[in-house]
Amino acid sequence: MQRAYYESSLQDFLQQDENLILGILARNNEYTLEDLQRNAWLAEIRILKSQLAVLKTGHIIFEYTIPRIGERIDVVYLKDGLVFSLEFKVGEKNYSRYAIDQVTDYVLDLKNFHKASHNRILVPILVSTEAMERTNNFWELRLGILNVLFCNKSNIAAVITAVLQQYNDIELNSNEWIESAYMPTPTIIEAAQALYRNHSVEDIARNDAKAVNLQQTAEAVNEIIEVSKQKHTKAICFITGVPGAGKTLAGLNIANERHNFAEEEHAVFLSGNKPLVDVLREALIRDESSRKNISKQEATKKVLPFIQMIHHFRDAEIMTQDPPNEKVVIFDEAQRAWTQEKLAEFMKRKKGVADFTMSEPEFLVGVMDRHEDWAVIVCLVGGGQEINTGEAGLSAWFDALSTKFPEWEVYVSDKITDSEYVQNKPLVERLATLNYHIVTALHLAVPLRSFRSENVAGFVKALLDIDVKCAQMLYAEISEKYPIFLTRNLQKAKEWVRSRSEGTERYGLIASSGAKRLRSCGIWVQSKIDAKHWFLDDKYDVRSSYALEEVATEFDIQGLEVDWSIVAWDADLRFVKDHFEYFKFIGAVWQRINKIVNQQYLKNTYRVLLTRARQGFIIFIPEGDAYDETRKNDYYDETYKYLQKIGLNEL
């Protein structure tokens, strides 16, 4: 990817003809050059030639790439070791909130993911060319990032000079900065948008030594597909990974790469997670409509085949015995596929089909087995992610393969037998009856969601497993870069996430679907959110997560994420003496959950909730009420004390 459309020393920029500079920008532009963009570039060139002449030295860069969010910074100016990021709004008379968030997002992205910017002072500047001059005061939003400064076309040099009088650093090598390693960890929404625009996974995912296995996983799956095509065989591969390691990203990448009608190799990404499908589809539709200036209806027609609900795919295939169009199918959260009992009950109740005898894994493999030559199934498997009754887990896939499809080639990682994937059900015996191959690259071991710390998932596991020493050690290790707080005051929790968020960093309120007694705190989990609005709309829409009015449950947020979260903890999962106890609120009382499998579902619910935040979270546990039998103080106090014992900082 072209890192910048134009870059030059300030001296050369000042001497070059503006039409020559415009020509270089136009030549490197990947889109059709519209008059609006051409005129904006000319205005920027003329303004900067006039303003920066007094500064004499430095390096200037136009249209510098931010791969993670698929955007480009209008202008970067490197001077005295500082990085100035200028966002131009040519002709604007106001400093809009949208533009402030935009330039803030750019410097946050550089600070978090651009190696040469990690330890530099970054200065975001919004240039609304026709706006009134505004007095600028300087402070740091975060370590190494100044607040947004405001300029018009006449005072850019004065503002930059004022900054340089207070801050300086060791001189930057411009070439090293431009070509610096970029190690992004996109949200799944950003990743889907970038992949759909044909960015490669290398552009949008971390490529440091600790996280290269995301690319290796893609290469391993592509090799399996090619071998299957050449040998006319059918294969199924299981991609495992720790929470937040990028399994869904890997699946979307494979679907995008193999989305090839010309070679009769149509691929599709299937998920049973309706909020995930709704949010990703809506994000792609909005992005496609905006970027290509087409109607949402037209964009919808293009996007819908790329990501589909697994149940719609399944229901369509029940009506025919013909093979599907797709030769490569990616099943997201394959461990959540339905058991035979649940699928049979659904088919009888909803479809009028009696005596349905297959589990969902068996039926889905059977559908792909209809192909005469080759087919490949990719199963994305999360450990400890089963959160609902009737979810079959990984064992159902191996049952189906060993009893009905033993001729299929099976590819697994060396981590497939770990307890969080097999739910303590032995797989070794099943594997022994299959044509299986160990491919280590099919396991994603490095968490990418919590880019500030790789050990958040490990900390959450230790917390829920009551491994106090391990939890204490990991908390001490991660808390400086990845803050986790504890409070009994919901208003303080809301103030905390709002104060932590800069730019468009998303925050939200999440809780267990069984947290029904949080209603007394104004948290009503029985009120269903609209996931498209909650995850995609901006701060000024009360339906969005930013409003902190509507709460997302584990069913809404599994597979998705926010930057900062409030995890509201109710009495459904209680710490008592030295262990957790599990409850469900039915009617007007709490009832104990005795079945081990249902206890595990609730434990996994809290695992999901505690691993949704990319940058940090705060746990809210209410005080309880001595006069309310359903909210006794003891129901909450012991859990709070347990988290205190682990070392969580109190707000």
Side-chain angles (χ1 to χ4, degrees):
M1 178 182 291
Q2 183 86 16
R3 297 300 291 271
Y5 285 1
Y6 171 91
E7 57 90 10
S8 167
S9 68
L10 179 62
Q11 298 94 319
D12 289 346
F13 168 75
L14 294 172
Q15 294 172 9
Q16 283 178 336
D17 182 78
E18 65 182 35
N19 289 319
L20 174 62
I21 298 170
L22 180 63
I24 295 171
L25 288 167
R27 185 172 67 246
N28 290 321
N29 179 31
E30 57 189 301
Y31 304 106
T32 302
L33 183 59
E34 306 287 347
D35 286 344
L36 187 65
Q37 180 63 78
R38 178 184 178 278
N39 294 336
W41 278 339
L42 272 175
E44 292 168 21
I45 293 166
R46 290 168 181 169
I47 291 169
L48 290 172
K49 276 179 170 288
S50 170
Q51 283 290 301
L52 300 187
V54 297
L55 297 174
K56 298 181 180 178
T57 61
H59 204 88
I60 192 164
I61 305 158
F62 278 75
E63 302 292 332
Y64 188 74
T65 303
I66 301 287
R68 183 178 73 94
I69 51 180
E71 300 288 353
R72 292 180 177 272
I73 304 175
D74 284 345
V75 176
V76 175
Y77 178 50
L78 307 178
K79 170 75 170 174
D80 293 354
L82 274 62
V83 179
F84 295 87
S85 173
L86 285 74
E87 178 62 26
F88 276 83
K89 299 300 177 187
V90 176
E92 283 291 324
K93 297 181 179 180
N94 300 298
Y95 303 105
S96 72
R97 183 70 253 178
Y98 168 80
I100 295 169
D101 285 342
Q102 185 181 12
V103 70
T104 303
D105 286 346
Y106 289 166
V107 292
L108 288 170
D109 206 87
L110 290 175
K111 175 61 74 173
N112 289 330
F113 308 120
H114 187 260
K115 188 174 181 180
S117 298
H118 284 342
N119 300 314
R120 296 291 177 166
I121 294 172
L122 306 178
V123 186
I125 298 179
L126 174 56
V127 184
S128 293
T129 59
E130 308 307 315
M132 296 288 290
E133 188 171 317
R134 180 184 289 192
T135 301
N136 287 296
N137 298 309
F138 309 143
W139 68 87
E140 291 190 33
L141 291 176
R142 291 184 187 163
L143 185 63
I145 301 178
L146 294 194
N147 58 296
V148 176
L149 305 179
F150 303 98
C151 296
N152 57 30
K153 63 185 178 184
S154 302
N155 68 334
I156 298 172
V159 170
I160 291 176
T161 299
V163 174
L164 292 172
Q165 288 173 348
Q166 294 190 35
Y167 300 92
N168 63 78
D169 204 341
I170 300 169
E171 194 63 43
L172 264 169
N173 181 299
S174 58
N175 288 332
E176 290 180 3
W177 190 90
I178 292 170
E179 299 300 328
S180 171
Y182 186 83
M183 300 177 289
T185 56
T187 68
I188 193 59
I189 294 169
E190 292 166 341
Q193 291 171 331
L195 289 170
Y196 197 72
R197 296 183 219 127
N198 292 320
H199 289 265
S200 73
V201 72
E202 292 175 317
D203 292 334
I204 63 169
R206 283 173 52 184
N207 56 11
D208 54 307
K210 292 183 179 180
V212 292
N213 63 335
L214 185 60
Q215 180 63 21
Q216 291 171 347
T217 300
E219 292 170 356
V221 173
N222 281 325
E223 184 176 344
I224 291 167
I225 293 172
E226 292 303 322
V227 168
S228 299
K229 289 169 64 177
Q230 292 167 12
K231 294 186 175 181
H232 303 285
T233 57
K234 292 162 186 163
I236 183 168
C237 47
F238 295 87
I239 297 176
T240 54
V242 299
K247 295 180 293 295
T248 303
L249 170 56
L252 288 168
N253 180 52
I254 294 161
N256 190 60
E257 286 187 348
R258 315 305 300 204
H259 198 68
N260 195 333
F261 290 94
E263 297 181 10
E264 296 183 349
E265 195 189 289
H266 182 29
V268 64
F269 181 91
L270 299 175
S271 176
N273 184 338
K274 188 176 186 301
L276 176 70
V277 172
D278 288 347
V279 169
L280 292 184
R281 276 182 168 179
E282 180 68 14
L284 294 181
I285 289 166
R286 292 184 186 185
D287 190 61
E288 188 79 356
S289 174
S290 173
R291 288 181 174 276
K292 295 190 176 178
N293 196 27
I294 60 177
S295 68
K296 285 192 69 175
Q297 184 178 13
E298 186 179 350
T300 299
K301 291 179 181 178
K302 296 179 64 178
V303 167
L304 290 188
F306 181 55
I307 301 174
Q308 297 181 29
M309 281 294 295
I310 193 170
H311 305 320
H312 296 164
F313 176 87
R314 179 199 65 208
D315 295 349
E317 296 305 324
I318 285 174
M319 308 304 295
T320 179
Q321 290 302 309
D322 295 332
N325 292 329
E326 296 82 5
K327 302 296 281 289
V328 179
V329 174
I330 298 95
F331 293 127
D332 190 32
E333 295 178 351
Q335 77 283 354
R336 298 187 65 190
W338 288 355
T339 61
Q340 184 273 326
E341 293 80 8
K342 181 167 183 177
L343 186 52
E345 185 274 333
F346 174 84
M347 296 304 296
K348 183 177 181 179
R349 177 168 48 88
K350 293 289 188 178
K351 304 295 179 181
V353 178
D355 302 321
F356 196 86
T357 59
M358 290 180 280
S359 68
E360 195 166 39
E362 180 182 339
F363 177 74
L364 294 171
V365 177
V367 168
M368 296 304 289
D369 194 59
R370 296 172 188 169
H371 286 290
E372 293 184 1
D373 50 357
W374 70 276
V376 174
I377 295 173
V378 180
C379 291
L380 310 177
V381 183
Q385 299 287 297
E386 300 86 358
I387 58 175
N388 204 0
T389 56
E391 293 178 359
L394 189 58
S395 59
W397 290 91
F398 286 93
D399 284 339
L401 290 164
S402 61
T403 58
K404 299 296 178 66
F405 309 100
E407 73 282 1
W408 276 58
E409 300 287 334
V410 180
Y411 296 85
V412 298
S413 79
D414 55 345
K415 303 295 184 184
I416 197 71
T417 56
D418 287 2
S419 61
E420 59 261 42
Y421 304 111
V422 301
Q423 299 173 295
N424 298 316
K425 298 177 181 178
L427 289 183
V428 176
E429 295 84 353
R430 292 185 179 90
L431 286 173
T433 66
L434 298 170
N435 300 319
Y436 80 95
H437 313 270
I438 299 292
V439 181
T440 57
L442 293 179
H443 181 71
L444 296 166
V446 180
L448 300 179
R449 177 182 296 127
S450 307
F451 60 84
R452 293 183 179 276
S453 174
E454 296 172 355
N455 292 321
V456 174
F459 164 73
V460 170
K461 184 178 187 302
L463 183 158
L464 293 173
D465 289 347
I466 319 177
D467 187 344
V468 175
K469 287 186 178 179
C470 181
Q472 288 173 335
M473 179 191 70
L474 289 173
Y475 180 75
E477 180 182 318
I478 69 178
S479 58
E480 184 175 347
K481 291 185 177 180
Y482 184 97
I484 304 173
F485 278 81
L486 185 63
T487 186
R488 311 203 78 163
N489 185 312
L490 182 57
Q491 187 57 38
K492 283 187 177 180
K494 290 182 177 182
E495 291 170 359
W496 185 83
V497 291
R498 286 174 177 141
S499 68
R500 289 281 177 168
S501 171
E502 301 292 349
T504 60
E505 290 177 340
R506 185 168 291 276
Y507 49 83
L509 174 63
I510 60 180
S512 158
S513 59
K516 295 181 180 179
R517 293 310 297 134
L518 292 177
R519 185 173 177 176
S520 62
C521 306
I523 300 172
W524 191 11
V525 296
Q526 291 163 287
S527 178
K528 186 70 176 171
I529 69 167
D530 186 323
K532 297 190 296 294
H533 294 297
W534 200 89
F535 283 101
L536 297 176
D537 289 351
D538 63 28
K539 296 176 182 177
Y540 310 105
D541 192 317
V542 295
R543 299 167 297 179
S544 78
S545 66
Y546 293 113
L548 298 176
E549 292 183 5
E550 296 185 327
V551 56
T553 71
E554 71 275 17
F555 299 115
D556 302 311
I557 203 166
Q558 187 175 42
L560 293 160
E561 67 245 314
V562 292
D563 286 290
W564 307 93
S565 70
I566 302 171
V567 180
W569 195 311
D570 200 8
D572 52 342
L573 183 64
R574 306 173 196 169
F575 194 79
V576 180
K577 294 183 179 178
D578 59 356
H579 63 282
F580 279 114
E581 293 186 354
Y582 305 83
F583 293 84
K584 184 174 184 179
F585 195 78
I586 299 176
V589 296
W590 290 106
Q591 293 186 8
R592 188 180 297 274
I593 297 174
N594 294 313
K595 286 187 178 180
I596 298 297
V597 65
N598 291 336
Q599 291 179 357
Q600 189 64 47
Y601 288 145
L602 182 54
K603 184 177 180 180
N604 287 347
T605 289
Y606 276 83
R607 189 193 316 277
V608 167
L609 297 174
L610 294 167
T611 55
R612 292 306 98 188
R614 287 162 54 81
Q615 302 199 53
F617 63 90
I618 184 166
I619 298 173
F620 161 66
I621 300 179
E623 295 278 1
D625 186 342
Y627 298 98
D628 185 342
E629 286 293 314
T630 68
R631 295 194 302 119
K632 290 182 178 180
N633 300 95
D634 289 349
Y635 293 172
Y636 301 97
D637 290 348
E638 293 305 307
T639 304
Y640 196 84
K641 290 174 183 176
Y642 168 62
L643 297 178
Q644 284 180 309
K645 182 178 180 180
I646 288 174
L648 266 67
N649 292 319
E650 296 176 79
L651 197 63

